[in-house]
Amino acid sequence: MYSITASGLVVTYATSGIFNFAHGALGMLGAFTYWQLTVAWHVPPLAALALVLLVVAPLLGAVVERVLIRRLYGTSLSVTLVVTVGLLLALIGVANLIWSPVTPRVLKPFFPNSLIHLPGVNVSAHQAIVVLVSLLVAVALRVFLARTRTGATMRAVVDDPGLVALTGTSPARASQLSWALGSSLAALAGILLAPLVTLSILTLTLLVINGYAAAVVGRLRSLPLTAVGGLALGLAESYSTGYLGGDLPNLLRPALPMFLLFVAVVFLRDTRLRAGGRIVGWSPRAVGLGESVRWSSLLLVVALLAAALAPGGLVDFLSSTLAIGFVLLSLVLLSGYAGQVSLCQLTFVGVGAYVMAKVAPGGSAFGILVVVPVCALLGVAVAVPVLRLRGLYLALATLAFASGMDTIFFLNAFGTGGAISVPRLSLPGVDSNRGYLILLTLAFAAGAVGLLSLRRSRVGRRMSALNDSPAACVTLGVGVNRTKLGVFAGAAAMSGLGGVLLGGQEGLVSGNDFQMLNSLVLLLILTIGGASTVSGALLGAVLFSAFPIIAEHVSFLSQASLLLTGLGAVSIGRNPYGIVGEASRRFAAARQAGRGALASVVIRPSPLRDGVL
Amino acid sequence: MSADADIPALELIDVRAGYGRIEVLHTVDLVVPPGSVVALLGPNGAGKTTTLAVASGRVVPTAGCVHVGGRHVNGLPPEAFVRGGVCSIPEGRGVFANLTVRDNLKLWSHGTSRSLSEIEDMVFARFPRLKERRRQLAGTMSGGEQQMLAVARAVVADAGLLLLDEISMGLAPRIVAELYELVAQLAADGLAILLVEQFAQTALAVADHAAIMTSGVIRAVGDPVDIAAELAAAYLGGVA
């Protein structure tokens, strides 16, 4: 059953060059629509199946392609990543709105009571159908893509949409078709999977994510290898249940797909170093030391005023905002400056909070001396196997790491649903909430000033060079690996520190706080704010901590916060520098126009039309 | 598609075009008479490639008219130009690198009424080397073989107008000669060709007319022999 999911993913990737993180959510939506039709509206199963697979899902895929994906051709990988992850969250949000997660729903397997007797094993008819359908899908897809002209066109679009147009076919239509097909396959997988597990929005979405592992085994290109990967994954799962004794299988089984994903990603043969990035035409300017100190001082004054005057609720709000902001700063370093997309930053935050709680339950400041090296080492440990990887595969590896840590570490270290209390740093003057706010502000300001100084330094230039063109870095003698390792370690250490600060603010933290999904939200919110700017981190943090508060007052929004975050991220397709980027670009343009200087020239190619030049 | 004797295969009238806010072509007038070969020459950055992009629908002009076979085609998508009989071989290697040679050929049948086997016969007869490589990914062939594959599209397309952009780029002289032999033969069959080329002598040898372009404007149009004399001045920045 993993093979169906994975092959849908491979189809969309092979035919649009965009890895669809929202694939799982599309499958989930398909399964829920099917439930709605058959169980709630009593449509006969076959008709419902046809309706979902042939009408609803393809339509959804086509609409997604038309509205979102078409704009993404030719943009940078992190933008496509953020947009599809945003779509994932938005779809989960939509599903939460339509199908309240509180009501239990059951989707019956096909032919519930019949068993098929094979030598040695009994297989339920549903399982047999799943196996048969996945084989059929694999073969049919292979024939379709390899033999037919439409299939060849769909593959050709990835290579060069402009050239496809020159051979007389509309590239847009081909890519739309492939998204419709991919979405339909996702829905099929969702419908087949749902009866085997519970029909829950999150479970289903995440289960389909397990299919990523199979797709990566197929290197996101080869359908037969993908089928093999899916099969291996399924077998490994059931064997681990059958043959490993004790508690071990229960511990490891959920992490298995992610482990496979990690291994598969790490063992990928890498392609050449990428030379030369896109020309973006505009980038945020580097802020000078004086300016950054001035703004930080202003922030500090505001915090002092707030600490003295503001009501307790506001103090709490500001404190959480700044703690989150500090964590976001580490992402600015990693993703914004060095261009390394990481989907596991909250994992480090969690580890930081956990270590602090264990080594320094009293809140001794020396705890930090343990937290920082532990997190830095963990960061290096993650970075070493993935050093060769770039962009998408790096993101997948970090995703696998985050998800693995979810099931292995957080679930056990914190106990299911349990929470541990993280001590507040005991420094003179920070015993009250108000004092802690000052401390957090100081930490954020120091982090911001430090980060901006780093940006202007030799190391900072090296990082942006790495982001721009690894190949050019190598020819200049800049150690790509060393820089990457340093950035990973630094960002992990910062996140761990952020964990200490955040834990101290919240008091109690549970493993759920650091789930992979929340890491995604974190990255999205930073991107909405502006991924490569410190002010973007602050703005993102405000958004992040404002959401629950707004949701408390407006009940509709409590379900819609994911949706809104997702939609926000999706809008990033238009401006990769987020709100701060857009605002300061407009400001700069206005200032330039006022001076009567030449307006900055922003080239916005529309790749489908004139990208060939 | 064959045009009437007096209707030009391609006509650009007062065309202005560019990318974003940068204008590259400042009023270009160019006529490719039916069945004739026009060589478009000029230094780097003159706008030659952009002219071809306009003629193939990849760049929509901001002003002026594009006529293909006498029909006004401004603003149509590139695939409509293909249906209108324009075959364009873009600069660089105009092949799908991650597709096999056969898959590349398969895609060409969109613009024509020919079947795949018909296309294969025609291409392999012309370039036997491609037959040996038909299961190979196009991107793994040598530069010359890739360009053969790209140019072979002109053989099977039912085009009235062929646009060639620097097909000699980065290739050995022997392969360039082979490719131009094909160009001459296509011209002899009555196909109208607009070709852009850095090797002016190679291009002028097959051309019926030639045009010199500098800084987004056509400076001179005329007989290849006359144009050859003006070339040096154009390349060295003098205005003809």
Side-chain angles (χ1 to χ4, degrees):
Chain A
M1 59 191 170
Y2 287 124
S3 358
I4 305 180
T5 333
S7 47
L9 203 57
V10 170
V11 167
T12 43
Y13 185 76
T15 54
S16 63
I18 288 167
F19 185 87
N20 185 10
F21 270 91
H23 196 74
L26 286 174
M28 175 272 298
L29 223 54
F32 270 82
T33 315
Y34 180 71
W35 176 88
Q36 186 70 34
L37 287 172
T38 50
V39 180
W41 293 343
H42 305 290
V43 177
L46 217 57
L49 204 59
L51 203 60
V52 172
L53 295 186
L54 302 179
V55 181
V56 178
L59 215 59
L60 187 65
V63 167
V64 165
E65 195 277 341
R66 183 73 193 83
V67 178
L68 295 177
I69 308 300
R70 198 168 295 179
R71 294 214 209 104
L72 295 181
Y73 292 115
T75 56
S76 78
L77 184 106
S78 38
V79 173
T80 67
L81 237 153
V82 164
V83 170
T84 55
V85 170
L87 182 64
L88 169 83
L89 294 183
L91 289 179
I92 292 180
V94 167
N96 270 334
L97 277 182
I98 304 180
W99 297 285
S100 157
V102 192
T103 344
R105 294 182 184 76
V106 180
L107 201 54
K108 280 205 219 90
F110 295 102
F111 308 110
N113 297 318
S114 47
L115 284 176
I116 295 172
H117 302 280
L118 293 175
V121 278
N122 286 338
V123 188
S124 78
H126 186 86
Q127 285 168 322
I129 288 179
V130 170
V131 171
L132 262 179
V133 168
S134 56
L135 282 178
L136 213 66
V137 164
V139 171
L141 275 181
R142 170 113 184 108
V143 171
F144 172 68
L145 283 181
R147 294 291 158 80
T148 65
R149 195 174 70 179
T150 316
T153 313
M154 280 159 69
R155 280 179 295 141
V157 171
V158 190
D159 251 21
D160 191 342
L163 193 58
V164 169
L166 289 185
T167 60
T169 328
S170 160
R173 206 167 308 143
S175 103
Q176 202 155 23
L177 186 65
S178 72
W179 275 77
L181 184 64
S183 164
S184 182
L185 286 172
L188 179 64
I191 291 171
L192 287 176
L193 272 173
L196 299 177
V197 293
T198 45
L199 188 65
S200 116
I201 292 173
L202 273 187
T203 323
L204 217 51
T205 307
L206 294 181
L207 206 68
V208 180
I209 286 184
N210 290 347
Y212 293 177
V216 171
V217 170
R219 304 195 66 208
L220 298 180
R221 295 247 171 226
S222 151
L223 282 170
L225 274 180
T226 302
V228 170
L231 204 64
L233 189 58
L235 284 179
E237 265 202 339
S238 40
Y239 275 113
S240 72
T241 334
Y243 291 100
L244 291 178
D247 290 337
L248 201 61
N250 288 333
L251 188 65
L252 290 183
R253 209 167 76 91
L256 208 61
M258 284 301 144
F259 181 70
L260 184 71
L261 174 57
F262 196 77
V263 171
V265 165
V266 166
F267 279 97
L268 269 180
R269 273 168 299 162
D270 200 18
T271 41
R272 283 172 297 174
L273 284 178
R274 176 174 56 91
R278 281 174 338 114
I279 302 152
V280 279
W282 181 89
S283 78
R285 86 209 145 88
V287 182
L289 178 68
E291 196 175 348
S292 63
V293 169
R294 274 200 300 282
W295 282 104
S296 300
S297 315
L298 182 66
L299 186 68
L300 204 59
V301 169
V302 170
L304 279 170
L305 280 177
L309 304 171
L314 186 59
V315 169
D316 274 352
F317 169 73
L318 290 176
S319 300
S320 333
T321 302
L322 286 166
I324 295 278
F326 192 83
V327 174
L328 286 180
L329 284 183
S330 78
L331 264 179
V332 169
L333 172 68
L334 191 61
S335 304
Y337 291 174
Q340 310 291 314
V341 179
S342 155
L343 303 178
C344 62
Q345 220 52 24
L346 268 184
T347 310
F348 296 123
V349 176
V351 171
Y354 177 79
V355 170
M356 185 65 185
K358 289 294 160 195
V359 278
S364 156
F366 291 109
I368 290 181
L369 295 182
V370 182
V371 169
V372 166
V374 165
C375 287
L377 277 179
L378 192 62
V380 169
V382 177
V384 165
V386 299
L387 267 185
R388 294 178 307 113
L389 305 175
R390 298 161 302 136
L392 176 60
Y393 292 119
L394 179 70
L396 283 176
T398 54
L399 181 83
F401 173 71
S403 179
M405 286 292 277
D406 275 356
T407 43
I408 294 176
F409 179 70
F410 287 123
L411 216 57
N412 297 295
F414 290 81
T416 313
I420 56 169
S421 89
V422 179
R424 216 168 250 200
L425 286 172
S426 61
L427 292 172
V430 292
D431 39 1
S432 70
N433 277 350
R434 291 168 196 275
Y436 199 63
L437 172 61
I438 307 283
L439 176 71
L440 285 171
T441 315
L442 275 174
F444 182 84
V449 171
L451 213 56
L452 287 169
S453 310
L454 189 71
R455 167 75 160 171
R456 291 187 309 273
S457 73
R458 212 177 128 82
V459 180
R461 278 197 301 278
R462 205 180 260 194
M463 286 190 306
S464 21
L466 180 70
N467 189 5
D468 208 41
S469 167
C473 276
V474 171
T475 59
L476 285 174
V478 174
V480 169
N481 288 355
R482 225 162 17 131
T483 312
K484 265 193 190 175
L485 268 185
V487 169
F488 261 96
M494 266 188 94
S495 298
L497 204 55
V500 173
L501 296 174
L502 188 63
Q505 164 60 25
E506 305 294 330
L508 279 177
V509 293
S510 77
N512 283 342
D513 295 344
F514 309 116
Q515 267 183 355
M516 183 240 334
L517 209 61
N518 285 340
S519 275
L520 297 186
V521 176
L522 202 67
L523 180 69
L524 294 194
I525 217 125
L526 174 66
T527 322
I528 294 171
S532 46
T533 50
V534 167
S535 36
L538 191 59
L539 187 63
V542 171
L543 289 176
F544 191 79
S545 42
F547 259 138
I549 294 176
I550 298 171
E552 253 173 51
H553 296 289
V554 194
S555 63
F556 167 76
L557 281 178
S558 63
Q559 296 297 335
S561 65
L562 276 182
L563 175 64
L564 289 180
T565 314
L567 287 182
V570 155
S571 69
I572 290 301
R574 285 187 176 279
N575 182 356
Y577 291 103
I579 297 176
V580 169
E582 182 65 30
S584 71
R585 190 179 64 81
R586 291 218 174 132
F587 179 69
R591 204 161 60 168
Q592 244 172 2
R595 275 196 211 133
L598 275 175
S600 66
V601 178
V602 181
I603 305 165
R604 289 233 178 87
S606 83
L608 283 184
R609 175 140 296 167
D610 51 23
V612 209
L613 278 151
Chain B
M1 194 187 93
S2 57
D4 291 5
D6 48 343
I7 299 174
L10 173 73
E11 206 173 2
L12 303 179
I13 304 163
D14 291 339
V15 164
R16 287 171 173 272
Y19 309 96
R21 284 148 76 172
I22 301 171
E23 192 177 84
V24 177
L25 302 183
H26 320 291
T27 55
V28 164
D29 288 278
L30 188 66
V31 178
V32 179
S36 69
V37 178
V38 177
L40 185 56
L41 308 171
N44 291 338
K48 306 183 297 285
T49 296
T50 308
T51 306
L52 291 191
V54 167
S56 62
R58 280 173 292 158
V59 169
V60 179
T62 49
C65 295
V66 184
H67 293 173
V68 170
R71 278 188 305 157
H72 184 75
V73 289
N74 282 47
L76 293 179
E79 52 272 25
F81 277 68
V82 176
R83 283 193 293 275
V86 179
C87 174
S88 170
I89 314 289
E91 196 176 7
R93 311 281 174 247
V95 298
F96 297 106
N98 291 311
L99 266 55
T100 63
V101 171
R102 271 195 84 168
D103 282 338
N104 269 281
L105 298 183
K106 212 181 277 174
L107 285 174
W108 295 351
S109 57
H110 277 298
T112 71
S113 53
R114 298 180 215 281
S115 69
L116 176 62
S117 58
E118 218 175 317
I119 289 175
E120 278 185 325
D121 291 343
M122 292 169 77
V123 170
F124 295 155
R126 180 73 223 180
F127 298 109
R129 221 174 321 165
L130 291 179
K131 186 168 188 178
E132 301 160 24
R133 308 231 177 249
R134 63 183 184 277
R135 289 180 192 289
Q136 198 174 328
L137 290 186
T140 62
M141 300 195 299
S142 76
E145 286 162 346
Q146 287 184 42
Q147 196 63 301
M148 277 180 202
L149 180 58
V151 174
R153 185 149 57 88
V155 179
V156 296
D158 295 316
L161 172 67
L162 176 62
L163 308 173
L164 296 173
D165 196 353
E166 305 228 359
I167 54 172
S168 67
M169 200 208 276
L171 298 181
R174 195 166 55 83
I175 295 171
V176 175
E178 197 175 332
L179 291 175
Y180 269 92
E181 208 175 288
L182 172 67
V183 172
Q185 193 182 328
L186 289 171
D189 292 346
L191 189 61
I193 301 175
L194 176 59
L195 72 101
V196 164
E197 187 55 77
Q198 286 281 352
F199 295 124
Q201 298 314 322
T202 317
L204 290 174
V206 293
D208 304 316
H209 308 275
I212 297 180
M213 185 170 200
T214 57
S215 311
V217 177
I218 303 277
R219 301 289 177 193
V221 184
D223 190 75
V225 183
D226 302 336
I227 290 297
E230 291 179 41
L231 263 180
Y235 275 83
L236 294 173
V239 178

